[in-house]
Amino acid sequence: MIKKLCADHPRAWDRFIPAALFAFREIPNDSLKFSPFELLYGRQVRGPLTILHELWTNDSTDSEVKTTYQYVLDLRSRLEETARLAAEQAEISSRNYKAYYDLKAKPRKLNSGDDVLVLLPSSSNKLVMQWLGPYSVVECKGNGVDCY
């Protein structure tokens, strides 16, 4: 979002950050299916378009007056339900991402004495990675992943 703001308004991009943050917090997350605002406050945000819609359609939330105690109880139940649904969606998304990631993965079995290359940061720049080796495998743990 900031990259787009910088491209569209190179001299005044910083003036648009609050609006961009509001839009980011209002939009439901792809993996959780809830907006950050809704997860935090237990309700949907009332943005300018929502308020305008209520004014045009004469929808008013003042017709339903609640006590403070009832509001807190309702808020608690909404937050618990939202957290439960978000956790379920996160689990589903996690499984989907793993399945997509594993499409091109190949199982590899290393044995003691095998020669391997290791991807490590370079000595001159920690952000630049380079393959080093070959090194000999000394020991593999029982999980088949950790080899030294």
Side-chain angles (χ1 to χ4, degrees), residues 78-95:
R78 279 195 314 263
L79 285 173
E80 288 172 352
E81 181 67 15
T82 303
R84 185 186 64 76
L85 290 172
E88 289 174 5
Q89 284 298 324
E91 180 64 30
I92 291 169
S93 293
S94 176
R95 275 189 257 126

Side-chain angles (χ1 to χ4, degrees), residues 88-112:
E88 289 174 5
Q89 284 298 324
E91 180 64 30
I92 291 169
S93 293
S94 176
R95 275 189 257 126
N96 290 341
Y97 291 143
K98 183 182 180 339
Y100 180 73
Y101 181 81
D102 289 347
L103 283 176
K104 295 183 181 179
K106 297 176 186 174
R108 292 186 170 86
K109 177 76 172 138
L110 297 175
N111 298 315
S112 296

Side-chain angles (χ1 to χ4, degrees), residues 1 16-27 35-37 44-51:
M1 291 169 90
F16 295 93
I17 288 179
L21 286 173
F22 182 84
F24 177 76
R25 294 174 184 144
E26 180 183 30
I27 297 171
S35 69
F37 184 92
Q44 292 183 348
V45 66
R46 285 185 70 218
L49 292 177
T50 305
I51 294 171

